[in-house]
């Protein structure tokens, strides 16, 4: 139509490489913005085209979603933004939205005459960057270029961050980093960003006229390579440049790797259930862990714990890992989630909401504890080292590992926490697994108090709640624990761990990763040292029945919930934390002779031993079944050991045995 | 002379359409989109709309005939129709669509029938075509 006449010349003029990615924007910008409009309604299509042309954009019309997709695929860099209708006969607009986001990662604006809240919400959840209500006014279209700029900006920032952040990362708490994408990070990375900007601008642009560089689709193989490279280097040392070299994929740029690494990290964080960032990173890591765990039975527990605690890997993964490691099926905990699943989880593409994966981890721990106990203990010692290694692996996978590792027995204060946990199950992680691990009470902050008594629930010991708070809790009381200082503070833990000899590095790394998951590690180490054997056993016992508390071990341990739940859940969730139950989490769960409970929990603990340390205060944990791992923080290792031992006997009267208020993982049914 | 008269007529007609609520603000937007480079934009869009809407109404009618009535589908069709009507500024039609959808949700088929008839009337080309033509003829 003649409409194009006038615009035609303009568009051509404006389209010639005016839009530069990044900061450099041509004078004509936003003129020349290449828009693809998809709508089955010809009237709307025509009107939109006209309006967009009036805004000086370059418009391409499409009345079918399929043809739009093929257009986009043929010309990967041919468009800057896509506007799509919601209701279309051949394909749902949201589906198209997802596809475009996955394959081309372009900003997509949805539009519809339907302004119902649910529809708009759907747009948001599917990743639309904006939603327009029909009739669309030209004013609304005038500003769509902001989405393009924003996206580019974030992308660049990601890249920079992942690249330059490496160092920064180490120093900062993961939690802070967690929000890579958030604007909060911007401040910290400003300098590097600026630096990077310059480099990137030149690098990025393959052809100056395109807005974005060619998109790299991270296929499964490519991703596997990536993960392999990252694992090889170690998650902390994984720098885009090195990863790129290791991967040795032609055509892949450092920026591609950097941004992918960024996402990967977020993913891991999520998985580990670090409360800080709960992205549901699935625990793909878990699967690999399993293998490694096998070797490290004890480690598994720990790892799992850590992981569980840290994050996504809630009890389940831990349990699984543990189980895997220990070689025993997480029977108890029934770690439902096979590690493998976790693997799947990890795909950036996948909805990050994979809490589920985290739940899996819980199981791991869960299962582990029980059987592990005996073996674990012994293994733990050794595994400690292996664990360290395992951790690494785990870590590699991402946060998950950390969570797992930190078997911080989340013994939830039975009485108190248990209730909560049982009730709450770590609601947070709806991810089925009740990954208590994370919830292991380590619940950021909550841990401190009650005791992260991990009533054996799958609280993936990860006392390391993402928040360092976790560490605080047990540690406070850790006076008893000689080594354990359950200093939640991840760092401190690490050191203690290191001293222990147990996976020192790993722990640290895990801890780091899990951002806070340290405590468990620490505990574990401590435990290990003194009575590793016993402890292990104990821990094992602590591994609360993951199955039971599955819910609690939600990957996304809610800090508060975690604490309570954490433990119970972790225990349930299959916190199968290995005996490495760093569970020294001594939670002063309550005073009380909950041993009885402990015992119960012990059963559940299935290897949640990690929580052994957690002294379960005499809280009368009503929920006996789940918790078992009341780790009383104060519980010194000795106490724990004895408690554990006692428990092993059959969850003997914990109360009597333990002087401490809490129960040590005596209940851990070995 | 005649020209002026015609112009006046067109203006009045246009005004009445607005007054009666057949057209709304959106239509004005469309008019603004028209310029020298695109002189017949409004006419083109209106034509397109008529064609499209008659098709939509037909589909709707057919869907209504079908038994049992698939209200979901009806809702979808109506959604489409509403979208295009609102884009062109056809206010009454849009309102009708809204009503339709409500009937749909309530499963009220009879209401549908009634509304459908009404919409036809609202969309009635004679209403708007006559509005368009004089304008273009005056160019």
């Amino acid at each position: 139509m003649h409409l194009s006449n006038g615009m035609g010349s303009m568009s051509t003029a404006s389209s010639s490489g005016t839009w530069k990615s990044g900061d450099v924007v041509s004078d004509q910008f936003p003129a020349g913005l290449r828009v693809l409009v998809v709508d089955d309604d010809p009237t709307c299509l025509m009107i939109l085209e006209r309006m967009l042309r009036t805004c000086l954009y370059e418009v391409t019309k499409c009345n079918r979603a399929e043809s739009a997709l093929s257009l986009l695929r043929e010309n990967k860099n041919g468009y800057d933004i896509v506007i799509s209708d919601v209701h279309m006969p051949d394909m749902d607009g949201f589906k198209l939205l997802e596809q475009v986001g996955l394959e081309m990662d372009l900003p997509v604006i949805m539009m519809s005459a339907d302004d119902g809240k649910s529809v708009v919400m759907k747009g948001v959840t599917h990743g639309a960057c904006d939603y327009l209500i029909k009739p669309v006014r030209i004013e609304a279209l005038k500003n769509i270029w902001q989405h393009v700029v924003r996206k580019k900006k974030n992308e660049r920032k990601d890249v920079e961050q992942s690249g330059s952040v490496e160092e920064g990362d180490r120093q900062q708490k993961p939690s802070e980093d967690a929000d890579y994408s958030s604007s909060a990070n911007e401040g910290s990375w400003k300098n590097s960003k600026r630096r990077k900007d310059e480099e990137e601008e030149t690098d990025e642009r393959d052809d100056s006229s395109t807005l974005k560089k060619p998109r790299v689709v991270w296929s499964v193989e490519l991703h596997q390579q990536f993960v392999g490279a990252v694992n090889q280097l170690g998650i902390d040392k994984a720098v885009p440049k090195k990863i790129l070299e290791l991967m040795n994929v032609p055509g892949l740029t450092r920026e591609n790797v950097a941004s992918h690494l960024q996402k990967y990290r977020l993913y891991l964080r999520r998985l580990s259930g670090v409360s800080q960032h709960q992205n549901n990173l699935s625990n793909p890591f878990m699967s690999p862990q399993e293998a490694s765990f096998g070797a490290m039975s004890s480690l598994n527990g720990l790892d799992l714990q850590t992981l569980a605690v840290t994050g996504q890997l809630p009890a389940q993964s831990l349990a699984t890992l543990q189980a895997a490691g220990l070689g025993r099926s997480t029977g108890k905990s029934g770690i439902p989630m096979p590690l493998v699943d976790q693997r799947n989880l990890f795909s950036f593409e996948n909805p990050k909401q994979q809490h589920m994966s985290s739940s899996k981890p819980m199981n791991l721990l869960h299962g582990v504890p029980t059987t592990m106990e005996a073996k674990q203990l012994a293994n733990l010692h050794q595994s400690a080292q292996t664990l360290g290694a395992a951790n690494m692996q785990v870590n590699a996978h991402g946060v998950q590992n950390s969570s797992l590792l930190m078997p911080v027995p989340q013994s939830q204060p039975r009485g108190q926490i248990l209730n909560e946990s049982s009730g709450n199950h770590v609601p947070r992680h709806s991810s089925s697994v009740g990954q208590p691990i994370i919830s292991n009470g380590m619940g950021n902050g909550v841990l401190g108090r009650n005791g992260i008594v991990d009533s054996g629930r799958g609280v993936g010991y990860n006392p390391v709640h993402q928040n360092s708070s976790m560490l605080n809790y047990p540690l406070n009381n850790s006076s008893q624990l000689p080594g354990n200082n359950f200093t939640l503070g991840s760092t401190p833990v690490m050191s203690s761990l290191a001293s222990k000899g147990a996976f020192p590095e790993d722990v640290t790394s895990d801890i780091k990763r899990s951002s806070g998951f340290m405590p468990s590690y620490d505990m574990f180490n401590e435990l290990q040292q003194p009575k590793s054997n016993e402890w292990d056993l104990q821990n094992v016992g602590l591994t609360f029945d993951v199955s039971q508390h599955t819910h609690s071990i939600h990957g996304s341990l809610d800090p508060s919930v975690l604490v309570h739940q954490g433990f119970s859940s972790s225990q349930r969730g299959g916190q199968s934390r290995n005996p490495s139950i760093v569970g020294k989490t001594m939670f002063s769960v309550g005073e009380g002779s909950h041993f009885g409970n402990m015992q119960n929990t012990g059963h559940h603990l299935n290897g949640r031993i990690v929580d052994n340390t957690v002294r379960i205060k005499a809280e009368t944990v009503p929920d006996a079944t789940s918790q078992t791992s009341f780790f009383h923080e104060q519980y010194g290792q000795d106490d724990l050991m004895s408690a554990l031992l006692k428990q092993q006997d059959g969850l003997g009267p914990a109360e009597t045995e333990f002087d401490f208020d809490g129960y040590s993982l005596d209940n851990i049914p070995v | 002379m005649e020209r002026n008269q015609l112009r006046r007529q067109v203006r009045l007609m246009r005004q009445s359409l607005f007054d009666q609520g057949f057209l709304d603000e959106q239509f004005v937007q469309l008019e603004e989109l028209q310029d020298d480079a695109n002189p017949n934009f409004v006419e083109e869009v209106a034509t397109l709309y008529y064609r499209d809407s008659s098709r939509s109404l037909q589909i709707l009618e057919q869907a209504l005939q079908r038994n049992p009535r698939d209200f979901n589908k009806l809702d979808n069709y109506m959604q489409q129709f509403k979208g295009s009507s609102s884009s062109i500024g056809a206010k009454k039609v849009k309102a009708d669509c809204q009503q339709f959808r409500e009937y749909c949700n309530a499963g009220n088929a009879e209401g549908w029938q009634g509304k459908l008839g009404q919409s036809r009337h609202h969309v009635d080309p004679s209403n708007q075509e006559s509005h368009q033509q004089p304008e273009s003829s005056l160019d």
Side-chain angles (χ1 to χ4, degrees), chain A residues 2-3 40-41 44 50 114, chain B residues 33 38 44 52 79-80 84:
Chain A
H2 21 266
L3 286 182
D40 63 319
D41 181 356
C44 286
R50 184 76 195 87
D114 190 352
Chain B
L33 281 175
N38 309 280
E44 284 166 10
D52 194 41
Q79 188 63 44
Q80 287 281 62
S84 53

Side-chain angles (χ1 to χ4, degrees), chain A residues 307-596:
Chain A
L307 287 174
V309 170
T310 29
Q312 311 290 346
L313 277 197
Q316 306 221 341
S317 30
L318 274 178
T320 330
L321 282 179
Q322 304 231 343
L326 298 180
R328 51 169 194 175
S329 51
T330 44
K332 290 215 238 156
S333 47
I335 301 194
M337 320 246 247
L339 287 177
V340 183
D341 296 351
Q342 293 172 359
R343 231 239 180 229
N344 301 334
L345 292 179
F346 181 80
S347 30
F348 284 137
E349 263 94 289
N350 292 348
K352 299 256 178 134
Q353 329 294 323
Q354 305 256 16
H355 276 294
M356 296 317 0
S357 27
S358 41
S359 44
K360 297 230 189 127
M362 301 297 282
N363 293 335
L364 290 178
L365 288 180
H366 183 65
V368 173
T370 38
T371 32
M372 302 229 343
E373 297 167 347
K375 303 191 275 187
Q376 303 289 342
L377 288 178
N379 297 333
L380 281 177
H381 291 299
Q382 314 177 347
S383 351
Q385 304 181 11
T386 1
L387 189 58
N391 292 340
M392 285 307 288
Q393 309 232 344
V394 176
N395 294 330
H397 293 295
V399 199
Q400 302 195 338
N401 295 336
S402 6
S403 39
L404 283 182
L405 289 180
M406 304 293 248
V408 179
Q410 312 273 357
S411 39
Q412 304 158 17
R414 259 297 200 137
Q416 312 146 19
I417 300 194
L418 281 185
N419 296 328
E420 300 174 61
S421 27
S422 18
N424 308 331
H425 294 314
V426 191
R428 258 100 28 155
H429 292 294
S430 31
S431 44
S432 60
V433 186
Q435 305 293 355
I437 301 210
I438 311 275
S439 47
N440 290 321
M442 300 304 264
N444 321 313
V446 177
L447 288 181
R449 31 175 210 111
N450 288 316
I452 312 225
V453 179
D454 194 347
S455 29
R457 301 296 190 116
V459 177
Y461 327 31
N462 299 318
V464 187
H465 287 304
Q466 294 106 40
N467 306 330
S468 25
S469 50
M470 291 211 354
L471 293 174
N472 301 323
Y473 77 39
L475 297 179
N476 302 330
N477 306 318
S478 46
S479 48
Q480 312 210 357
L481 283 190
N484 280 339
N485 320 328
F486 219 75
T487 26
L488 288 178
S490 29
T491 4
V493 176
M494 292 308 307
S495 39
S496 44
L497 283 177
S499 52
K500 298 297 174 64
F503 14 103
E505 305 77 40
D506 300 324
V507 178
T508 11
S509 48
D510 287 330
I511 303 218
K512 272 201 179 162
R513 239 168 303 201
S514 41
S515 55
F517 185 64
M518 308 271 309
S520 44
Y521 248 74
D522 206 1
M523 307 279 247
F524 185 73
N525 288 335
E526 311 247 21
L527 284 178
Q528 293 298 0
Q529 326 250 327
K531 319 174 174 222
S532 38
N533 296 329
E534 298 170 334
W535 191 248
D536 291 347
L537 289 175
Q538 312 254 353
N539 290 337
V540 174
L542 287 179
T543 40
F544 316 106
D545 223 341
V546 179
S547 49
Q548 303 213 356
H549 312 294
T550 6
H551 44 262
S552 43
I553 310 222
H554 291 295
S556 43
L557 297 173
D558 227 314
S560 49
V561 174
L562 285 182
V563 174
H564 310 307
Q565 311 233 355
F567 297 146
S568 27
S569 48
S570 44
Q571 312 204 339
R572 287 191 274 217
Q575 296 267 342
S576 47
R577 287 158 350 133
N578 301 330
S580 50
I581 305 196
V582 191
K584 287 211 199 180
T585 44
M586 328 238 262
F587 312 108
S588 8
V589 179
E591 318 292 320
S593 34
H594 306 293
F595 278 130

Side-chain angles (χ1 to χ4, degrees), chain B residues 23-107:
Chain B
L23 294 178
D24 63 14
E25 233 290 303
Q26 183 67 10
F27 194 73
V28 179
Q29 285 244 322
L30 295 189
E31 287 179 330
E32 285 170 4
L33 281 175
Q34 182 163 295
D35 58 16
D36 289 344
N38 309 280
N40 296 330
F41 177 65
V42 183
E43 185 184 346
E44 284 166 10
V45 174
T47 314
L48 201 53
Y49 173 69
Y50 287 140
R51 237 189 306 145
D52 194 41
S53 62
S54 66
R55 196 174 43 89
S56 298
L57 284 170
Q58 227 179 356
I59 294 177
L60 272 168
E61 253 179 6
Q62 281 173 1
L64 268 179
Q65 314 285 355
R66 210 168 303 141
N67 256 332
R69 297 202 178 85
D70 183 354
F71 285 111
N72 263 340
K73 256 212 191 124
L74 284 176
D75 189 67
N76 282 343
Y77 293 142
M78 193 39 79
Q79 188 63 44
Q80 287 281 62
F81 190 40
K82 182 183 171 198
S84 53
S85 305
S86 62
S87 293
I88 200 176
K91 197 160 140 192
K92 275 204 179 164
V93 183
K94 182 172 147 194
D96 288 341
C97 291
Q98 189 57 39
Q99 273 266 291
F100 266 125
R101 292 192 74 219
E102 281 168 26
Y103 284 142
C104 216
N105 292 338

